[in-house]
Amino acid sequence: MISNTLGLWLLVTFAVANCKLSENQMKMFLANSYEKQTSDSCYKLNDVTFAFNTDIRNKQKEQFLLNTTLKEAKLSKEIWEKYFKDVNPEEYKDPILRRELKKLVIIGDAALEPSKLEKLTNAVNKMTSIYSTAKICPYEKQKCDLDKEGLNLEPGIEKIMSKSRNYDELVYAWKGWRNNSGAKMRNIFKDYVRLSNEAARLNKFSDNGALWRYAYEDENLIANMDELWAQVEPLYDELHKYVGRKLKCRYGNKLDLNDGLLPAHLFGNMWAQTWNNIAELVLPFPDAPSIDVEDGFKKQNYTVLKMFETSDQFFKSLGLISNAVCYDVSKGAMIEKPTDGREVLCHASAWDFCDGKTYRIKMCTEINLETFLVVHHEMGHIEYFQLYKDQSISFREGANPGFHEAVGDTISLSVSTPKHLHKINLLEKYIRNEKTSLNALMLKALDKVAFLPFGLLIDKWRWDVFNASIPEDKWNAHWWELRNKYQKIKAPIERSEKDFDPGAKYHVAGDSQYIAYFIAHILQFQFYKSLCMAAGEYNPNNKTIPLSECDFYESKAAGKILRDGLSLGHSKHWSEVLEIMTGDKKLNAQPLVEYFEPLYEYLKKENNRI
Ligand code: X8Z
Ligand code: ZN
């Protein structure tokens, strides 16, 4: 056993000069004082960030966040300069230690000199604040007092986008949101790009996009993403064509389909990233029953808390750890939008405070199926945090960021089957036949398949921006080139370089990388298939029951796969973790294609008919 005192002694002794530590000294240092210092710092930073994110107009909290960021960055830079900056991980023998050091030689934004780090932190905080507080006037009262009568994104503007079928009202909300969010941060984003790139270069990367990609431990990340896209694009194209035809039926002459591009505001979602909210316009068999759980939520007196408890029950049924602490408001969680006048960043998130016991969810939860699945998504993050909590701090991360985003979604795939929804009494009666099965599969495709090109293009755009292959005065135009190329959608009204449409998406404003979600949308089907097979719910050699109908609820065998893979955290290369969990070493879109196969055949037939 190595004592903490010895570790602290090392920190003090070696802090005076640049010292190269021996293999054992380095191990001791990492396991003790480094571990403690970094975990404490993580706790403090999460604490002040959470406080600011749940009270975004509070200047004192913003200042406190800035001060803490600078203070903790200074500490971590001191350690980095003395212990890691000039270390060559290859000189150490132990492969685990080498892996840890490969991470530690990169310090990220903290490499910047304090005045620049302050500017960068302020830029991100300001963009987050613009995004969180942006409002538009109601369609019925377009000149209003924004402070008193304005609608926030959640729930007001999102409700218009998901429920309204009035073409002009949808244009109004789509445009108003972008004018008041993205467009307002265009100049700040320029500072952000410049300073992030500067930080990346101090970490020996060519630009910030290259630094982001490094986290994926894949030399050919871009080409591999393109290859995955090529595997799924035919499916997306059929869905796009089918939905386009249905939209034409609904909106008639307002739609011109000649260029093959669909207007971005008609998909029931502010960014057209998921299309499930327009299911009633596009289901193959509108007269056959579909998955409608609204009644179920009402009849069972669902509350927000009950949504979290139900999700927790699923994780426990697999023999996994309860996530109850993360939605306990008495322990700091925020699971509903506050009504005390505070403005908050509603975008859902899960937090690991790095002390092995404090986990929180922050979410403005509404009661409907879409948010029920987001609850599972967030709970997946918390389960992962808990499963890898005994790893060293450097490995308390996903195998890669895509793994983190895939866990809860894998659970959701099982939860949202008619079979499971019926089991938990959210769906009263469900008759399974060809029509209802295709309806259910279409609903999933509107969520998962529709998302794929969006998940890919956000970081394609940022990679191009960070490496300056696109000049500043073409940023918005390039955004729309990618939206045209991948999603095959177009802006409903003219755009210019006065606009900054990427900033109207949270992850761009909030400095949060996005390719993880594209990866997760492929990976979750690999996980799902493997868990379904382990649960005896799916047999690829006998497809009488399709993959999409598997529910691995209560399967301890499925739970074991998750536990075995996820408890490794980042301690092994993701391809090894993937192999443990699925038998496959590579990301592979085949399970996704297999899942949607019956729908793909149907769409091809229907699209060829007309
Ligand atoms: O941001 C999220 C989660 C939090 S990690 C709610 N997602 C992406 C988004 O909303 O754009 C989940 C799917 C994609
Ligand atoms: Zn997430």
Side-chain angles (χ1 to χ4, degrees), residues 412-430:
S412 280
L413 287 175
S414 184
V415 169
S416 57
T417 53
K419 184 174 167 183
H420 187 78
L421 293 172
H422 180 68
K423 218 177 271 173
I424 58 173
N425 295 321
L426 278 177
L427 204 56
E428 226 168 82
K429 34 183 188 300
Y430 180 79

Side-chain angles (χ1 to χ4, degrees), residues 70 79 101 113 170 186 196 238 297 306 349 365 370 378 477 498 505 519 522 526 560:
L70 297 178
I79 296 178
L101 287 171
E113 63 176 69
L170 288 167
R186 192 177 168 115
S196 305
E238 295 297 340
F297 281 130
K306 185 162 170 164
S349 51
T365 322
E370 192 175 349
E378 298 309 329
K498 286 207 176 72
K505 176 68 196 164
I519 293 176
I522 304 287
Q526 291 182 263
K560 183 175 177 334

Side-chain angles (χ1 to χ4, degrees), residues 250-270:
R250 177 66 183 77
Y251 295 102
N253 287 340
K254 296 256 188 199
L255 241 69
D256 167 14
L257 298 184
N258 288 331
D259 56 6
L261 302 174
L262 300 170
H265 63 309
L266 302 178
F267 291 91
N269 175 279
M270 181 54 88

Side-chain angles (χ1 to χ4, degrees), residues 348-350 377-378 381 404-406 507 517:
S349 51
H377 174 96
E378 298 309 329
H381 286 304
H404 234 302
E405 299 305 336
H507 302 71
Y517 300 105

